[in-house]
Every structure is written in structure tokens, then in C-alpha cells.
Amino acid sequence: MNTNGQKMKVHIGRYVLILAVTASVILQQPELVTGQARVPAMFVLGDSLVDAGNNNFIQTLARANFLPYGIDLNFRPTGRFSNGLTFIDLLAQLLQIPSPPAFADPTTSGSRILQGVNYASAAAGILDESGFNYGGRFSLSQQMVNLETTLSQLRTMMSPQNFTDYLARSLVVLVFGSNDYINNYLMPNLYSSSIRYTPPVFANLLLSQYARQLLTLYGLGLRKIFIPGVAPLGCIPNQRARGVSPPDRCVDSVNQILGTFNQGLRSLVDQLNQRLPGAIYVYGNTYSAIGDILNNPAAYGFSVVDRACCGIGRNQGQITCLPGQNPCPNRSQYVFWDAFHPTQTANSILARRAFYGPPSDAYPVNVQQMTLLH
């Protein structure tokens, strides 16, 4: 075991920089809050929380292209891991742009890519090996390659100056980290990471890989990057179903190991904003937002926080939602749709907090403020 892991200071290799909050000036400009956000496109990289159907087109066990997934999208399963809309669909509505289509869909070409593309893939992680137990998936590194393919196509569709301006005003959203824990670190029977690394050292490994890709986005010309942290995974039905905590409690040991990653990601946002002129990286505090919902469910209209609407076994989380299974009828009262993913109702709350929220939700500015900067 690497004893360096006891140091809570986040090391990001050569990307360690002096921490600085660079957006205090931004936060002092109230007119930014009142305008209508304007982005020409949204590019999405991530995992099953934001997959729009990419995994429909690859050999994988991580699929959601069957009912009851999509039951609240007019009974249309699209590959989204939700009863309805994902965080990205709801964020696109707030931005007043179409939800970006899946990269792997053969129809995602030509003018369809002008308002953005979704590269997210269920089971994907920051590390290439995360999620291999599900079979095929587009990891973060592969999604970056796919993004560059799209940008090469877009470059041919507009003048150099227009292309530069288009990239600078577009929004990039990255949702990663969950699978590096659920389908890697927390699976010692399949992965050696928890034997080789203490939780802080593993978090810093993830952050160093993530930092490199976040720098690459800047090098490609993208300037507005939204990066949510990892939710309290110890509270999802899948982890509660392990039976290692009392029935009414989250698995605290799982939640505790996420602290270094989330704190480090917030610090990384500071570092990138300090180092990269014209960029605005924003950290989304998913952990706190979900925690608030779970601690105060009635305030948000929820009555069920500890089990899935669709699933089998303890907490309906031992086996996730299966084809043709009958889900709960009162879906808007459930925080979790299946063993791993929020309901559309919960996603809607997360999207609004990211878009309109204070710095405790989205730091140093919210998505609306961010998109109005140019």
C-alpha cells in the first residue's frame, strides 16, 4: 500500500499550479445573471448518466434500449439510462438548444452536428480499464478522439474565424468518475486498484488523467467547460444493496473515499482558470446537490430515497432494471430510477441547480453565467 496516499494534498503532476479563484470579477457582475444564455453548440462527454444512445451501437452489456427505460418519453427507449430525460436533455432545454445526438448514431452527420454531439458511453471511465466488466464502451480517451473527429468535420463547414468563435462560445460538459469507483476501485475481485492504491492516491491518479484531457480541450479551442463531480455513490441503490450498512443509511465508507476526488476537481478548476487565458472551467457540486435531496426529500417532492423505482432484490438495487419489468407507478416521487441512475425528476433538479445555482452548486459561476461570458 502506498503510504503517500495519507497526504490529502492533491498532486496533479506537472499540472499542479498555484490555486487561485479567478472569477471574483465575474461574480460581481449582476447583469450576467439576467441575460439569456447563448451557446451555438453543446458537446457532451461522459458515462451512462448522460449517454444518449451511443452504447446502442457497440457490443456491450451496458445498454438501456428497451422498456421500461424511456417509459416517460412516450414509451420510447432511446438508450438513455432513465425513465425519461437525462441531465443533458434538461440542460439543453434551459439553454434553448436541441439535445445533442449520439456520436455513434449513423445519422449524426452533416448539419446535425452543428449544435453539438453527445459522445457519452455507459460504463465509461476516466481510466481506460474502468467498466471493462460490461464489455464495449467509449472511454474518456476514446471520446476525446471522437470529439476531434467531429471538430475536423465542423472545421470544413465554416470560415476559420467563425470556427474559432464557434468553439469559444460552445459548451462542453464532462460527466466522469462514477465508473472509476463503481466499476473499478470498488470491485476488488476484478480490479487490483484498491489493493495498489489508497483512496487519495487513486483519486490523484484519476485527477492527473482528467487534467491532461481538460487541457487538451483548451488546446482544441474550446473555452467553456462544465465538470460535475461524483455524486454520493454510497447512497445509490446498488451500493445500499450490498447490505454493509444499516437499511436506512448510505454506505458511508464509499462516500468518504470520494472526498479527495471531488475536492481535487474543484481545485483543478481553479488551477485551469488561473493558467489558461479566456477559459472558464466550472465545477458542478453534484455530491452536495444529491446529498441535499436525500437529506430533505420532502422539500423536493420525493418520498422514496433508498431504493430504485425499477430493479430487483434488496433496495431494488441488487439487479438493475430488466427488459419488460414493471417499474413503480409514482416515478416522480423516487430519487433513483434504477440501481445506479436518478429519475427524470431528480435530473431536473440537478440541471436547474447547475444552471441557476449559487457557487455552492456551480463554482465559480453557474452554467447560465458561464455561457454569457465571451
Side-chain angles (χ1 to χ4, degrees), residues 32-364:
L32 292 175
V33 193
T34 56
Q36 171 56 49
R38 288 279 177 259
V39 297
M42 177 163 56
F43 298 97
V44 181
L45 299 91
D47 55 27
S48 57
L49 291 165
V50 291
D51 188 345
N54 281 300
N55 277 30
N56 296 351
F57 301 93
I58 58 178
Q59 292 296 315
T60 180
L61 296 174
R63 285 173 179 254
N65 57 344
F66 52 84
L67 286 170
Y69 288 95
I71 189 171
D72 295 314
L73 287 177
N74 296 320
F75 292 87
R76 281 192 315 113
T78 59
R80 287 165 169 80
F81 287 75
S82 173
N83 58 304
L85 300 175
T86 68
F87 172 82
I88 289 298
D89 299 321
L90 294 153
L91 195 60
Q93 287 182 4
L94 291 168
L95 291 164
Q96 297 185 354
I97 59 173
S99 194
F103 173 82
D105 187 327
T107 66
T108 302
S109 62
S111 61
R112 282 202 80 202
I113 70 175
L114 282 169
Q115 289 181 292
V117 175
N118 185 321
Y119 308 90
S121 173
I126 295 169
L127 304 179
D128 286 347
E129 63 267 25
S130 295
F132 84 78
N133 44 300
Y134 280 98
R137 70 254 173 250
F138 299 118
S139 65
L140 168 58
S141 57
Q142 182 59 52
Q143 290 183 42
M144 291 291 290
V145 171
N146 296 345
L147 169 64
E148 292 189 45
T149 298
T150 300
L151 296 186
S152 295
Q153 295 168 340
L154 286 166
R155 190 176 288 109
T156 68
M157 299 167 73
M158 52 190 92
S159 71
Q161 183 55 52
N162 284 350
F163 183 62
T164 299
D165 181 66
Y166 166 90
L167 292 180
R169 291 190 298 117
S170 292
L171 175 65
V172 184
V173 180
L174 299 98
V175 180
F176 284 99
S178 295
N179 287 304
D180 296 292
Y181 286 98
I182 298 171
N183 289 302
N184 187 330
Y185 198 78
L186 295 172
M187 277 191 170
N189 56 325
L190 290 180
Y191 299 87
S192 63
S193 51
S194 63
I195 300 158
R196 293 163 56 204
Y197 307 109
T198 62
V201 172
F202 184 69
N204 291 330
L205 172 68
L206 297 180
L207 290 165
S208 65
Q209 298 267 11
Y210 217 178
R212 189 156 58 242
Q213 302 291 17
L214 294 171
L215 276 172
T216 298
L217 292 172
Y218 184 85
L220 292 171
L222 294 155
R223 295 292 179 265
K224 300 179 192 300
I225 322 290
F226 179 63
I227 323 160
V230 175
L233 299 176
C235 300
I236 67 175
N238 163 265
Q239 291 297 303
R240 288 184 190 253
R242 292 166 56 208
V244 298
S245 289
D248 60 342
R249 283 197 63 81
C250 300
V251 184
D252 292 336
S253 60
V254 170
N255 288 341
Q256 285 160 8
I257 68 171
L258 304 174
T260 310
F261 178 78
N262 282 333
Q263 291 159 19
L265 193 56
R266 190 180 189 275
S267 297
L268 179 58
V269 159
D270 273 337
Q271 296 165 25
L272 293 167
N273 285 336
Q274 169 72 7
R275 176 174 176 177
L276 304 174
I280 178 65
Y281 289 78
V282 171
Y283 169 70
N285 193 351
T286 311
Y287 190 98
S288 177
I290 292 275
D292 190 31
I293 292 169
L294 296 176
N295 288 328
N296 308 284
Y300 294 93
F302 294 112
S303 59
V304 184
V305 301
D306 61 344
R307 62 186 187 273
C309 172
C310 187
I312 295 172
R314 186 187 293 121
N315 298 90
Q316 281 76 59
Q318 287 177 292
I319 299 173
T320 197
C321 194
L322 295 174
Q325 189 176 350
N326 285 325
C328 66
N330 52 337
R331 293 180 282 279
S332 64
Q333 293 177 31
Y334 278 66
V335 175
F336 296 104
W337 158 248
D338 64 11
F340 303 97
H341 307 98
T343 56
Q344 174 178 293
T345 305
N347 279 329
S348 178
I349 295 164
L350 295 175
R352 293 185 69 82
R353 289 181 77 144
F355 193 77
Y356 294 114
S360 55
D361 282 340
Y363 170 86

